[in-house]
Amino acid sequence: MTSEITLFVNPTAGRGRGAHAAQPAARALRDAGFSVRTVLGTDAEDALRRARDAVAGGTGALIAVGGDGMVNLALQAVAGTRTPLGVVAVGTGNDFARALGLPVREPAAAGRLAAEALKGALIRDVDLGRVGERWFGTVLASGFDSRVNDRGNRMRLPAGRFKYDLAMIAELAAFAPVPYRVRLDDGPVQEIEATLIAVGNGSSYGGGMRICADAALDDGLFDVTVVGSCSRTTLLKVFPKVYKGTHLGHPAVTVHRASRIELLAQGITGYADGEPLGPLPLTAECVPGAVRVLDPAAARVE
């Protein structure tokens, strides 16, 4: 493995934390003997092109510095290759890093763990979701949660996560169940009304909301959480439980496991890793071992 490592940096992540986080992460890698190159871009398309060039050029690892959006962009460059992915999590949600057991908002510690994993070849394969040509690592959201995303993205103020809290309150006022058509693997098409359907490769989204609490990154299957048709009152009771994953025991919630799901609903945008995929219908498949990741758990055992 080459000793040159590429830091893939989003300078705006976490309201500016990304720009500052790259320095201690790079220092930790250099102190471990690696040569570090930083990749930025004028926009997402340019950044992805540069990341793909680094992967094609044989970089030893691509390390995303930012939040889940930056990790999602990095996945588009490394999925299906032999180049391992590392994460220095300094964004707002950081759910992919949480799923891997990586430090959150501790860039020096994340850099040291990446260096230890690289030196010890402590790398494992994990699954990814795929919709068309787009890869995702955590959760595909559709329904009430994606409508909150839609509304939050249209709001200019306030900044940060508070914007999405306000968007959630506004969406509750307009809340109505969504008629879906759903097909799991080769099963029959089902017509259901649901508050939301979340397709989990990882267990959480939104900064630790464990919507698919039992999902595993290496089992070759999605956990599909369906929150059925329910009242605003029920939704308000169930929603706080999502942070501990205890919502899965509520009668309105069902969980299915599948390697492939087809989703159709009118007026609903799909989001994956917090990034818009586009309007439903869409088909998502779980691709086993689609990306190699630096494994912090194995590094800690050592």
Side-chain angles (χ1 to χ4, degrees), residues 75 79-80 85 96 99-100 123-129 135-137 201 216-220 286-295:
L75 289 176
L85 173 71
F96 193 71
L100 293 173
I123 295 166
R124 67 181 174 116
D125 297 337
V126 301
D127 309 337
L128 293 177
W135 299 92
F136 68 92
N201 182 56
L217 288 175
D218 56 2
D219 63 354
C286 183
V287 181
V291 67
R292 307 178 79 213
V293 297
L294 305 181
D295 186 338

Side-chain angles (χ1 to χ4, degrees), residues 94-229:
N94 305 309
D95 289 287
F96 193 71
R98 294 173 199 275
L100 293 173
L102 282 161
V104 172
R105 302 193 185 107
E106 297 180 45
R112 287 193 296 271
L113 278 173
E116 290 173 22
L118 284 163
K119 283 197 161 186
L122 300 167
I123 295 166
R124 67 181 174 116
D125 297 337
V126 301
D127 309 337
L128 293 177
R130 184 170 62 192
V131 177
E133 299 300 314
R134 292 278 301 277
W135 299 92
F136 68 92
T138 58
V139 177
L140 189 163
S142 74
F144 177 75
D145 43 9
S146 64
R147 283 176 165 168
V148 170
N149 254 321
D150 281 338
R151 185 180 289 270
N153 290 343
R154 293 194 299 267
M155 295 167 63
R156 298 188 64 177
L157 293 172
R161 291 184 63 180
F162 187 55
K163 174 170 66 174
Y164 293 95
D165 293 338
L166 292 180
M168 183 179 298
I169 293 168
E171 280 301 319
L172 275 170
F175 171 73
V178 177
Y180 284 91
R181 297 185 71 193
V182 182
R183 187 181 188 195
L184 300 173
D185 291 328
D186 295 323
V189 174
Q190 303 174 59
E191 295 190 3
I192 61 172
E193 283 202 342
T195 301
L196 65 86
I197 297 178
V199 182
N201 182 56
S203 60
S204 69
Y205 61 7
M209 297 166 62
R210 303 184 66 229
I211 187 69
C212 300
D214 296 329
L217 288 175
D218 56 2
D219 63 354
L221 295 169
F222 292 131
D223 276 31
V224 180
T225 299
V226 179
V227 179
S229 178

Side-chain angles (χ1 to χ4, degrees), residues 249-288:
H250 193 278
V253 179
T254 57
V255 178
H256 310 270
R257 307 192 80 215
S259 61
R260 186 173 183 272
I261 181 170
E262 300 172 28
L263 288 171
L264 186 151
Q266 296 297 317
I268 297 295
T269 302
Y271 282 80
D273 297 339
E275 300 297 308
L277 289 173
L280 274 56
L282 57 78
T283 299
E285 61 177 319
C286 183
V287 181

